[in-house]
Amino acid sequence: MALRILGAFLALGLLAGHPATVTAASLAAQAKTAYLFKLGSFVRWPADGAGGAFRICVAGRSDIAGVLVPLIRGQQIAGRPMTVEQLTSAQADRARDCQVLFLGGGSAKSLFAATRGLPVLTVGDRNHGTYGGVIDFLLRDGRVRLAIDRGAADGQHLELSSKLL
């Protein structure tokens, strides 16, 4: 599914008449965006946390937040409408209410700390200085890979699907 979404991003870039602007960095950002869109489908949160919108929060990468907003429009996870919110390091109190928290830059590590022990799927980006999430993105051989920390998932009270593992 992530490959299909990534293919759609590529097609949109080519249809827009800007094939020269498709760089390795933009492909990596599109792959990370596709993963963020789909990761929530492979995680089970504690039952008492279900309610309201399914929030994907992004810190440090406005490019990814900007692509996620139109992608999630009208989409749901477990019957909950998806929303995207951009956070700064000063908004730790808001990070606690996210289902997915992506830290794309080193300046917002305090947000990870604010969600420790809470049912929030934390996602880091090792190539941009953030790591230690339940899932970390890393770039290897030109491809975005996932580093999954099962212990961190247990600490966040999250159950990861075997399909993700």
Side-chain angles (χ1 to χ4, degrees):
M1 179 58 113
L3 290 176
R4 187 170 48 188
I5 293 169
L6 181 58
F9 283 129
L10 292 174
L12 286 174
L14 293 174
L15 289 174
H18 302 289
T21 62
V22 178
T23 64
S26 68
L27 288 176
Q30 290 171 1
K32 292 171 188 176
T33 302
Y35 275 122
L36 288 172
F37 173 71
K38 291 304 294 177
L39 283 174
S41 301
F42 297 101
V43 177
R44 186 179 317 166
W45 280 262
D48 61 342
F54 184 93
R55 295 178 59 220
I56 299 175
C57 301
V58 178
R61 292 293 299 270
S62 60
D63 58 334
I64 288 178
V67 175
L68 263 173
V69 169
L71 182 64
I72 61 101
R73 190 170 289 126
Q75 300 294 319
Q76 296 184 353
I77 289 184
R80 299 168 63 188
M82 297 175 76
T83 64
V84 174
E85 184 172 346
Q86 184 122 20
L87 298 180
T88 67
S89 58
Q91 296 173 305
D93 56 324
R94 293 171 68 182
R96 294 179 183 109
D97 295 324
C98 301
Q99 278 64 53
V100 177
L101 173 62
F102 173 63
L103 294 179
S107 64
K109 289 181 184 178
S110 62
L111 296 174
F112 266 178
T115 62
R116 192 161 284 122
L118 298 174
V120 176
L121 178 65
T122 53
V123 182
D125 191 339
R126 289 185 185 176
N127 297 94
H128 284 93
T130 58
Y131 50 88
V134 172
I135 298 174
D136 288 336
F137 293 139
L138 56 143
L139 199 58
R140 293 270 163 92
D141 300 321
R143 302 185 84 166
V144 175
R145 305 285 187 198
L146 302 180
I148 299 172
D149 184 338
R150 290 182 181 182
D154 291 343
Q156 300 289 97
H157 312 289
L158 302 173
E159 184 179 326
L160 304 179
S161 166
S162 61
K163 292 179 184 179
L164 180 61
L165 299 172

